[in-house]
Amino acid sequence: MATEKPKGKTSKTLVWILMAMLILGLGGFGVTNLSGTIRSVGTVGGKDISVDDYARGLQEEMNAYQAQIGQSLTFSQAQMFGVDRNVLARLVTTRSLDAETTRMGLSIGDENLRRELLAIPAFQGLDGEFDRDAYAFAIEQAGMNESAFEDSVREETARSLLQGAVVSGVSIPDSYAATVIDFVAEDRDFTWTKLTGDNLTTAVEDPSEADAQAYYDANIDNYMLPATRQITFAWVTPTMLLDTVEVDEDALKALYAERDADFNQPERRLVERLAFADAAAAETALGKLRTGETSFEALVESRGLALSDVDLGDVSKSDLSTAGEAVFLTPVGGIAGPVTTDLGPALFRVNGILPARFTSFEDAVSELRKDLAIDRARRVIDLQIGSADDLLAGGATLEELADETDMVLGSIDWHANTSDDIAGYEGFRTAAAAVAEGDFPEIVTLEDGGMFALRLEGETESTPAPFADVKDDVNAALKADRTAEALATLVSTLEPQLKSGTHFTSFGFNANEEINMDRSDYVAGTPADFMSQVFEMTVGELRQIPAGDGGLLLVRLDAIAAPDYSNPEISGLVNLINQQLSGGISQDLFQVYAEALQVAYPAEINTQAINAVHAQMQ
């Protein structure tokens, strides 16, 4: 027995050592646990940012993101979206405001605090009065004590007072909204006409060779050929392989059966359905329709519906179930019913008949064969991509590639406006723009399942087009310019009378009178900036606007109509503009103020605590 006692003592000593190590380990764990010894993730101006506030803010922000995107969000994803940074920045701003209210001595008294607490619905009982037990329970559930909660209410109220003082008092001059409304809602009345060479008493002669050459030389920039790239390519598309692909009869029949709904459709009707609560109401409505007392449109409108709400589109007899027989016996424009449906008794109006369509296998076989062949040709090309890549990697030229595969050799003088054949593919245009001399050709796939490889042979700088090639264009442009000059001269001689109000038709001009036109309106047959120019004019002003084809637009501004500020729509728009602008300015003011406070009260962030919270959120 004497030998047993030391053993027991030793055992107890080991147990206590293990317990001490466990306590130390748990103590270390508590440093990084939300309920451990660390209580804040940082301080701002002596104000702590609590661990719980930071964790709660993260969770609330993640919940908001999840509600917005409609799916769950991991914390790692939330960090990618910057949720943690946003929450911390918001808390830093909040605590800097609290630090400033403390410096200013801004706070609320006990009576004001009492009123704030009494107004919180969570603390009220069934009778709507303050419930002391409900108050204590809610505070406990939030993990706070009453003193801490009441301090937070004081801080929040003081913070609100400070924020209100910063953003309140922003007033927008009435002239701002008026300027915006005048710009948007002013109307113009004007008269305009388009003058052409037909309005001239003496026709403009065709330019001489010398005049055309001189015009060409003076406007050489208008007749430049684009810079081009000389490209050699090898390519193949599914369409190019159609004649080499075999399609068996069984596959054609299987595809025909699969697409039966495309080739064969039963007779259909364009139908509208209006359901009623009971048969009596449906019969009453039908009687009024038959006597002409009402219309189908009026019945729909009286139910607070639009025709689009009752439109079934084109339907077959089977689509209409029990109503099918009655509807398909009704002529176009007729009313069928009342018929019992899943929605109750209903009336159906037939708006059109679409005859049945039947395409036999024999008639469809050419389309089916092409579709199958295209699909199989794509698969053939897919199988060749690897071998073509290997050939190029082994040093084969495009010419050799064309000899050993189904690819076809070609060349093109390419520029950005080229769109013929292979240049119509976006993939080719991208590669043609990027390739450089000396680049090794590589296989690139096309949008339709084809493939190509290309090689840059050289480049040609932009040069003037030969005069002989553009002579007709030069003659047309010069004649158009001379016509416009002659029309301008004609208008100048008539300008005094036109400005005095003489009607355009007095001179044999067509007159187009536009009334109550705003900036957003478009006048057919005029250039894109036509309305902008009209709104630059003063009343009575006469303006000549080139039509771009040798013609001339003649415009006279007849009247300017200011917005009607007594119109509720206009006054509502004025209020909206003022609210939006004042809100924007207030937000900017607060942002500047908050940034200044953060400079005055630098934040000290506890990275260890931040990481601890993040570890708990994983």
Side-chain angles (χ1 to χ4, degrees), residues 193-427:
T193 188
K194 181 176 181 178
L195 303 179
T196 66
D198 294 337
N199 295 105
L200 297 172
T201 55
T202 303
V204 174
E205 296 181 357
D206 293 332
S208 66
E209 183 86 7
D211 287 345
Q213 180 68 56
Y215 185 85
Y216 167 82
D217 294 337
N219 298 274
I220 195 66
D221 289 344
N222 296 334
Y223 303 101
M224 298 294 291
L225 294 175
T228 58
R229 317 191 88 193
Q230 289 74 51
I231 292 174
T232 299
F233 60 89
W235 73 317
V236 64
T237 67
T239 304
M240 295 163 66
L241 298 182
L242 287 183
D243 294 337
T244 66
V245 176
E246 293 185 3
V247 178
D248 59 85
E249 191 80 2
D250 291 340
L252 290 171
K253 290 181 177 179
L255 182 59
Y256 177 77
E258 181 183 330
R259 295 174 54 186
D260 178 71
D262 296 332
F263 292 114
N264 304 303
Q265 290 188 346
E267 186 176 332
R268 290 161 296 152
R269 295 289 190 274
L270 299 175
V271 176
E272 294 164 331
R273 176 188 61 195
L274 183 61
F276 294 85
D278 51 54
E283 289 288 356
T284 300
L286 180 61
K288 291 181 178 180
L289 286 172
R290 287 174 173 169
T291 60
E293 185 178 343
T294 188
S295 64
F296 189 82
E297 289 80 3
L299 286 175
V300 172
E301 187 176 347
S302 68
R303 301 281 296 280
L305 301 171
L307 288 177
S308 59
D309 297 325
V310 299
D311 186 12
L312 298 182
D314 60 291
V315 292
S316 65
K317 189 173 183 180
S318 60
D319 292 335
L320 294 172
S321 187
T322 56
E325 189 69 32
V327 170
F328 271 67
L329 289 175
T330 303
V332 175
I335 303 293
V339 180
T340 301
T341 69
D342 294 340
L343 298 178
L347 298 178
F348 293 81
R349 181 167 72 170
V350 179
N351 294 317
I353 297 176
L354 302 177
R357 188 180 70 197
F358 173 74
T359 305
S360 67
F361 173 73
E362 290 73 18
D363 291 337
V365 72
S366 60
E367 180 181 341
L368 294 170
R369 188 181 301 280
K370 181 179 179 180
D371 290 346
L372 273 180
I374 286 284
D375 185 57
R376 294 189 178 184
R378 288 193 185 102
R379 294 202 293 270
V380 169
I381 294 173
D382 283 341
L383 294 174
Q384 292 185 4
I385 289 177
S387 60
D389 261 330
D390 292 341
L391 286 171
L392 290 175
T397 64
L398 294 180
E399 290 77 6
E400 292 169 336
L401 188 65
D403 289 338
E404 298 185 35
T405 68
D406 288 322
M407 300 179 78
V408 176
L409 197 68
S411 62
I412 186 173
D413 288 336
W414 180 85
H415 56 82
N417 296 324
T418 309
S419 59
D420 296 334
D421 296 326
I422 193 172
Y425 291 90
E426 182 62 34

Side-chain angles (χ1 to χ4, degrees), residues 27 35 121 252 301 336 344 363 385 449 466-467 534 543 556 579 614:
S35 59
L252 290 171
E301 187 176 347
D363 291 337
I385 289 177
F467 174 72
V534 169
R543 180 171 293 197
R556 182 180 63 204
Q579 290 172 8
H614 291 178

Side-chain angles (χ1 to χ4, degrees), residues 169-191:
V170 176
S171 60
I172 306 302
D174 293 339
S175 58
Y176 180 87
T179 301
V180 174
I181 295 298
D182 287 346
F183 182 86
V184 173
E186 270 190 353
D187 289 337
R188 297 291 190 271
D189 296 348
F190 57 90
T191 304

